[in-house]
Amino acid sequence: LDFVRGDRSNEEPNGLAFYQRESVMGNILHSNLFYLTDGTNDSLFVGANDGMLHVFDARTGIENFAYIPSMLIPKLSKLADKPYVHTHFVDGPISVARVDVSGTDKIILAGGLGPGGMGLYALDVTNPKATSESDAVNKVMWEITASGDFANLGHTYGTPRFARLENGTAAVIVGNGYMNAGNGHAVLYVINATSGALISAIDTGSGSNTAPNGLSTPTLYDSDGDSRPDYAYAGDIDGNMWKFDLINNTSSLLFTTSPVQAISSAPAVHVHPLGGVMVAFATGRILTSGDKSDANIHYVYGIWDGAPDSNNRLLVQTLTSSTHGNGAVRTITGNIPDWTAGSGHHMGWRVALPPGERVVGEKPFYHNGRFYFLSTNPTLGTGENWLHELVFNTGGSPLAPIFDLNQDGSFDSSDLAANGEIPVAKYLGEGVFSQPLLVNAEGLSTTLYAFHPDLPVEDGVPTPPDDPGVSGGHFDFDIYYFDPPPA
């Protein structure tokens, strides 16, 4: 227990019992870092593979407290094993939201374990500082394991979503994750945010015990403008995109990819100009050892939920490789969809990525009429990463430049690719990048990425980079035109 809490006196070479750690802070892989300010406390929350959800004072870096989900306690001893074998613990995304609970404002954190286990948890972090161990214990609101009402819970790589339901109940909405040992189906869980009780388990019926399916991160959609979601959209690892009715607790199949390929990222959802919504998403997964060498062609899709029933065709847009200066870029066709009713008319669009390239991670998004996503290709050396911005409703090319590639502050013909067309994607680098995070600045929008270089590993420990700082490229950015549109 002292070792887990940071005591290093019994680590090699000074002690004999335990593995010598690179740091008492465990590595952070799939958990996102969440920053919260409430006017009094600035806090950072993140899960790590030292077994803990950490809560830091964002101003000082001092840890306020750490929480170990109880379902992980049986395997904590693996942290001290000699030789050390990397083990996942609190390795799933987290969400934090301000929730009105019976007239009292509370700040609740909800998270999952990802590959660390089959479990969900929630903490009351209204006061992020713990004055004692008993105070820290009282911050644990609920824990959920793969049993009882949640027997179909798997490894939840997806991000929990907070929402106020139509009946006023504060809820956490999350996909059941992968490899569940129950019925093997893809299931959407709607959970009471304060008690952890199951409100509904919307079962798609897709999957089986022998070939388990699993639901990824949902995207919530409010169709009537009352700030309470009526629907959720989520993909599964069997290549299905589902629509969930949160009022009637039903599911319907929106689309199945062809060829069938996993959807492991949340879709982006936005109003279609002719009614209904466009649901944009991409395929890809890196979950098992064989996934890294998958050189198949993956696709990006836009599916119109609201298309006439007779529409049965996908508009095809085609990416082309080009350059700008010394950098690699891509352009794309600008084919026009036919949204009118009729056989052979369009129900959406599709774009093929280069072989082996796919989209993983949380989460692509809609902004300013475009679908932002980052694709990665682990089959090429130390990996490739590309940022794309496709016109949301067509999957094609915009009418004017969107990247200031020569960084002169203007978006004009000097930003065109060598082939004379408008770039819609640019090469970012090797290693593993997160999906982009959009930050709005005055007159501009800025996208940020977390970046993990693909470092060589010696004796189970990655080689430290030459320059581990921000300026060394471990946190990259790019700037895009925001509003108004360029002349």
Side-chain angles (χ1 to χ4, degrees):
L1 179 59
D2 290 338
F3 172 86
V4 170
R5 283 176 160 165
D7 182 351
R8 310 194 71 173
S9 62
N10 215 9
E11 291 181 20
E12 296 177 323
N14 299 320
L16 300 177
F18 301 137
Y19 160 78
Q20 184 180 17
R21 292 172 283 189
E22 187 81 11
S23 166
V24 294
M25 178 74 187
N27 62 65
I28 300 165
L29 294 179
H30 298 104
S31 178
N32 56 304
L33 187 70
F34 198 105
Y35 168 76
L36 177 71
T37 180
D38 61 5
T40 303
N41 301 293
D42 290 347
S43 301
L44 291 173
F45 307 93
V46 68
N49 289 303
D50 51 19
M52 305 178 200
L53 184 285
H54 295 276
V55 182
F56 296 102
D57 185 310
R59 300 181 183 182
T60 66
I62 295 173
E63 186 171 66
N64 290 326
F65 75 96
Y67 153 72
I68 299 174
S70 64
M71 66 284 284
L72 297 179
I73 290 175
K75 67 176 186 178
L76 282 179
S77 62
K78 293 181 180 294
L79 291 167
D81 282 350
K82 299 187 301 183
Y84 172 68
V85 177
H86 184 270
T87 303
H88 296 285
F89 284 90
V90 188
D91 200 40
I94 59 175
S95 289
V96 181
R98 191 179 301 274
V99 178
D100 183 335
V101 181
S102 302
T104 301
D105 231 15
K106 290 185 178 293
I107 299 173
I108 300 176
L109 179 151
L113 305 180
M118 299 180 183
L120 299 166
Y121 60 87
L123 306 177
D124 180 351
V125 292
T126 308
N127 181 354
K129 296 183 178 179
T131 58
S132 65
E133 287 199 11
S134 61
D135 183 27
V137 168
N138 290 333
K139 296 183 185 301
V140 182
M141 298 181 67
W142 46 262
E143 294 181 335
I144 290 171
T145 58
S147 60
D149 289 340
F150 297 93
N152 298 316
L153 184 67
H155 290 276
T156 49
Y157 285 78
T159 303
R161 305 295 191 203
F162 281 92
R164 181 75 62 179
L165 302 180
E166 284 291 337
N167 64 7
T169 302
V172 172
I173 302 174
V174 63
N176 69 322
Y178 312 137
M179 299 300 294
N180 84 73
N183 61 18
H185 294 178
V187 180
L188 184 74
Y189 284 124
V190 183
I191 302 165
N192 187 294
T194 57
S195 69
L198 179 66
I199 296 174
S200 61
I202 309 178
D203 193 331
T204 66
S206 177
S208 67
N209 299 108
T210 55
N213 194 355
L215 200 69
S216 305
T217 301
T219 296
L220 309 184
Y221 181 69
D222 171 23
S223 63
D224 55 12
D226 64 356
S227 299
R228 300 181 179 189
D230 307 292
Y231 301 98
Y233 294 85
D236 64 30
I237 57 171
D238 282 353
N240 303 304
M241 178 56 62
W242 298 94
K243 179 181 181 179
F244 297 90
D245 184 330
L246 299 176
I247 298 175
N248 298 304
N249 296 323
T250 59
S251 66
S252 57
L253 180 61
L254 179 66
F255 184 76
T256 299
T257 60
S258 179
V260 172
Q261 293 171 320
I263 305 168
S264 60
S265 295
V269 181
H270 193 73
V271 175
H272 191 281
L274 298 179
V277 296
M278 181 67 78
V279 182
F281 58 95
T283 65
R285 54 178 274 178
I286 305 178
L287 295 172
T288 65
S289 58
D291 290 342
K292 184 177 179 180
S293 59
D294 174 16
N296 288 313
I297 294 176
H298 288 267
Y299 295 88
V300 187
Y301 295 89
I303 303 301
W304 180 16
D305 181 15
D309 292 340
S310 56
N311 291 30
N312 55 5
R313 188 173 163 216
L314 294 178
L315 175 70
V316 175
Q317 306 283 13
T318 304
L319 289 166
T320 300
S321 296
S322 188
T323 60
H324 181 280
N326 294 324
V329 297
R330 291 171 179 167
T331 62
I332 199 167
T333 51
N335 298 325
I336 305 300
D338 182 355
W339 298 128
T340 59
S343 178
H345 297 183
H346 296 116
M347 55 179 286
W349 51 264
R350 186 172 86 162
V351 177
L353 297 173
E357 197 166 310
R358 80 287 305 265
V359 177
V360 298
E362 302 292 301
K363 84 168 185 169
F365 59 88
Y366 168 91
H367 178 69
N368 205 28
R370 300 194 292 274
F371 181 40
Y372 288 62
F373 66 92
L374 189 142
S375 60
T376 190
N377 194 338
T379 69
L380 298 177
T382 53
E384 281 194 0
N385 297 274
W386 290 78
L387 175 70
H388 295 76
E389 294 183 34
L390 308 181
V391 172
F392 193 83
N393 285 327
T394 68
S397 178
L399 299 177
I402 55 176
F403 295 138
D404 181 15
L405 293 173
N406 64 355
Q407 299 183 3
D408 65 354
S410 299
F411 296 77
D412 52 30
S413 59
S414 63
D415 298 306
L416 297 178
N419 63 7
E421 299 180 359
I422 298 170
V424 295
K426 62 178 295 186
Y427 176 69
L428 296 182
E430 300 177 343
V432 180
F433 283 68
S434 70
Q435 288 296 328
L437 174 69
L438 185 73
V439 178
N440 289 337
E442 185 176 355
L444 294 169
S445 61
T446 300
T447 49
L448 305 177
Y449 322 89
F451 165 44
H452 296 278
D454 193 358
L455 299 171
V457 176
E458 297 179 3
D459 298 325
V461 179
T463 304
D466 293 333
D467 180 359
V470 173
S471 62
H474 293 257
F475 210 74
D476 203 2
F477 71 95
D478 210 287
I479 297 174
Y480 305 93
Y481 202 86
F482 180 42
D483 193 38

